Amino acid sequence: MRRLFPVTDHTAAPTSAKTSPDEVVADREWSLDELADAYAYPAGPLDPAGTGAWLRANMVSTLDGAAQHDGRSQPISNATDMRIFGTLRGLADAVVVGAETVRQEGYRPARAREAFAARRAAAGQAPAPAIVVVSASLDLDFSLPLFTAPLTPTYVVTGAAASSDRMAAARAAGAEVVTAGEGAGADPARVVRALAERGLTRLLTEGGPRLLGQFVAAQALDELCLTVSPMLTAGGAQRIAGGPGLAAPERFVLASILEEAGFLFTRYRRGL
């Protein structure tokens, strides 16, 4: 892998005692520590909008804009994309995901990884990120390990008018139920605030497209980590974000680009 942007200043001091500027730019395999440094959450107050949290999304898209192939993201990904996927999870307090993605991708509890143990302990984080499932219908199989055997509690976020029976079933399975909206579904901005109130401030959403579209429409997204896959699929696959649009496009600022084997690993942040 090599860094395409920002271009390293060769007159600057090395980024660490073990890494020179030339090595950062060179095409080589990066360590997990280097990836973690490259994708670190902002220092200091996380969210300029005042929610107390920083919400980043991690998505993959083909050249023709497809976020999935045959309903799953794995066919358009690669090994390095999955390493970055694991790194982003290793840095997050919580992974926020829609119910449909839980069903399609077969979500399981996040696991603790030794590579991130010291970094997480120093940041005061749990050994593994919590999984947060956002659902209006609560049409979920609460007998799955995601709910019954997580290392850290699984959260189910819904609206106050959601089925009381399904909320009770979620609690009985061991999930923590959070209401973040007055209707049956959760309000995206309130989801972020509710998680921040529970000490979950470094947030990562992995979609799906409907949930990401809701965060975008609510202008609750702070950062997008987008892998551009050098593949074409055609067909009618969803884009990375769907649902209602913004009245005017919101501009994000390019933060970094990494490249390997034709895959571009980009990172954009909300413009200030």
Side-chain angles (χ1 to χ4, degrees):
M1 181 156 52
R2 60 197 176 113
R3 188 197 307 276
L4 300 183
F5 180 84
V7 178
T8 302
D9 180 358
H10 288 248
T11 66
T15 56
S16 73
K18 298 181 180 179
T19 307
S20 72
D22 285 336
E23 288 173 334
V24 171
V25 175
D27 190 0
R28 60 180 178 78
E29 183 171 332
W30 284 28
S31 70
L32 288 177
D33 273 341
E34 288 172 306
L35 286 175
D37 287 342
Y39 284 93
Y41 280 83
L46 287 178
D47 179 20
T51 63
W54 183 270
L55 176 64
R56 67 170 27 149
N58 180 34
M59 301 292 283
V60 59
S61 170
T62 63
L63 296 175
D64 53 343
Q68 302 168 340
H69 183 66
D70 286 339
R72 301 181 67 239
S73 59
Q74 189 277 332
I76 62 173
S77 179
N78 75 345
T80 300
D81 184 44
M82 295 309 298
R83 289 186 81 220
I84 292 174
F85 171 93
T87 299
L88 295 178
R89 281 194 164 200
L91 297 174
D93 294 332
V95 177
V96 186
V97 65
E100 184 63 20
T101 298
V102 168
R103 290 188 288 264
Q104 287 184 345
E105 303 281 354
Y107 263 60
R108 299 182 63 83
R111 59 189 178 91
R113 298 182 60 187
E114 183 61 32
F116 301 103
R119 190 181 293 262
R120 293 185 69 85
Q125 294 174 294
I131 303 294
V132 178
V133 184
V134 181
S135 177
S137 68
L138 301 181
D139 181 17
L140 296 159
D141 183 354
F142 294 120
S143 69
L144 294 176
L146 176 61
F147 302 102
T148 62
L151 183 62
T152 56
T154 293
Y155 292 80
V156 175
V157 184
T158 191
S163 165
S164 57
D165 288 345
R166 297 304 295 162
M167 285 195 277
R171 292 188 181 99
E176 295 195 20
V177 177
V178 177
T179 55
E182 301 306 319
D187 174 80
R190 287 181 62 176
V191 171
V192 175
R193 289 196 296 270
L195 295 175
E197 289 167 1
R198 289 160 175 79
L200 305 173
T201 58
R202 302 171 185 88
L203 303 178
L204 168 67
T205 181
E206 297 169 351
R210 184 184 305 172
L211 180 63
L212 179 55
Q214 292 172 352
F215 282 128
V216 171
Q219 296 185 294
L221 187 70
D222 298 298
E223 181 179 339
L224 173 64
C225 299
L226 176 64
T227 296
V228 180
S229 170
M231 300 182 190
L232 295 168
T233 64
Q238 287 183 295
R239 301 184 307 166
I240 65 167
L246 292 167
E250 183 180 10
R251 187 179 182 90
F252 273 49
V253 177
L254 179 64
S256 68
I257 307 175
L258 307 176
E259 185 274 339
E260 183 178 280
F263 283 77
L264 297 178
F265 307 99
T266 71
R267 190 162 54 95
Y268 290 85
R269 290 185 173 182
R270 180 193 300 278
L272 301 179

